[in-house]
Amino acid sequence: MSRLSIKTPDRAQTVVEGLYRDVERRISASPPGLCPVDMALSFLRLCHAQTCGKCVPCRIGLGQLTTLLEQVLDSTASTQTIDLIEKTARVIQDTADCAIGYEAARMVLQGVQGFREDYVSHVEHGRCLFGLDQPVPCVALCPAGVDIPGYIALVRAGRYNDAVRLIRKDNPFPTVCGYVCEHPCEARCRRRMVDDAINICGIKRFACDHATDMTPPPSAAPTGMRIGIVGGGPCGLSAAYFLSLMGHQVVVYDQRPKLGGMLRYGIPDYRLPPDRLDADIDFILSTGIEVHTDTAIGRDIPFSAIEEQYDAVYISIGAHNDKKLGIEGEDSQGVYSAVQLLRDIGEGHVPDFTGKRVCVVGGGNVAMDATRTAIRLGASSVTCVYRRRVADMTALAEEIEDAQSEGCTIVPLQAPDHIEADEQGRVTALWTRPQIIGAYGSDGRPRPNDADAPLQCLPCDVVVVAIGQSIDARPFDQVTPVVRGKIQAASDAFVPNTPHVFAGGDAVTGPATVIRAVAAGKVAAANIDAHLGFRHVIESDVDIPAPHLTNSPACGRVELRNRPAAECVGDFSLVKCGMTPEEAEQETSRCLRCDHFGYGIFKGGRSNKW
């Protein structure tokens, strides 16, 4: 008999591993709107099944917590039961011998403290307070509330014009979002229970690339109301589009020569071609919007004059200013702000990085844009320096992968210490301080701390700073409250203590995504319209095809392909190729049509108007 043998998984173990993967997929596809108490109980049971049972807090305590949560869901508990749940969870958290018991108790404790009202509602009324008006997960997670299953069904039927019309009911920038949206809708796509999320963003781009009808919907009868919008980015233009459809006269002011905001002056051409951006903007302006470009509030016209001319004013100035590192040598020749660099290129002022060594500081999407732009400007090497781990970078995973595939080197866990310059003041090196990851902060991300290690030198000729953006609210600080560089506005976009001033987008929230800017413009349009005494409705009369009755077997997700990395140097042409008709047909067929099947049909899975 051999002392040792090579272990191979038997059939039972193989099945168990498969079940674990199934559970992981189902957890990742958990839709928003689930009862938080029920979800907490499910995770608690899972954790309890994994404990060794050696210590009393895990063996007995987690079982008692399970019983108490069951009583809450059965409406047999009292308010004292909720207090007992909190007390029990805290004791287990403090006394459990292993991380399994600790984390299980901590999860319950966070829940009972974070959504106590739901516990009380279950106890007193036998129902859950938590829920969403929109039961389809992808639609619920789209900030603009676009009817995603609807336009996917239309694309599958070959009705591309109708698909784009349906998108524009909630989002007047379908083409832009088809190219650069961060697609939060895919995070809880129920298709992940089968294999992987649908490439929703790629399908949207396919629809826009193949649509031919650019006729805007008819506007409502003129109201006689004039609305001024400060800022011609995605937020301001979205508000202008919907307000114009409602019959209001809209005038947009923008300080740049062309409209688009950060879409034009912050996103490189290789991700969003200018002609595709212009197509969306031209469609928006075709509704009758008046535009004044090269007009800066505070420089060319005071904000008080804007207030006097219009029945309502919407401030959507975006976040166009850069943030500084605050380190020695930052004023050296060869130090660029990523925001300014991308803006200069958008205005036609293209620097020459041929043969230069470039260091980019930051880990967000702007940093990746700056990194990939430097490669196209001819840099001999591009290094991205980030103070956290690569896994902690806020840039999209696909953007990080694309940057690395094009030749960028990412150096994680390094924080800028100072910039070295020669006698002429030109950058020669970036010195960084090694970091070590510590405890998690309130933002849910691990905090980097200085490591006990010497400084590192990264020789370079150019340093690009991409650590965030800020807004310039000085022209408005006499009228609107500005706190920490942000205009203070309510969730309905109304600015407190002003008669008819509204604000939204990056100016209020700080730098965010394109689709969130569009959503902010939609919210502002609805509330400005109501403030002026109207209740106009934006609706769509597009007929959605019936679902195909298929069993939707597991099928691989279609990913968009990139052009060869060798073609990127000196070339700002579009890098990502769209779907072929064959790929679009396959990808649209993967949609489970949650608007018809499952809970969507019972809770009103479609909203035709807002």
Side-chain angles (χ1 to χ4, degrees), residues 129-141:
L129 286 177
F130 196 82
L132 294 174
D133 295 333
Q134 175 51 255
V136 180
C138 57
V139 181
L141 286 170

Side-chain angles (χ1 to χ4, degrees), residues 78 80 168 269 344 349 354 573:
S78 64
Q80 288 74 27
R168 283 198 167 112
D269 293 355
D344 288 345
H349 310 301
T354 303
S573 300

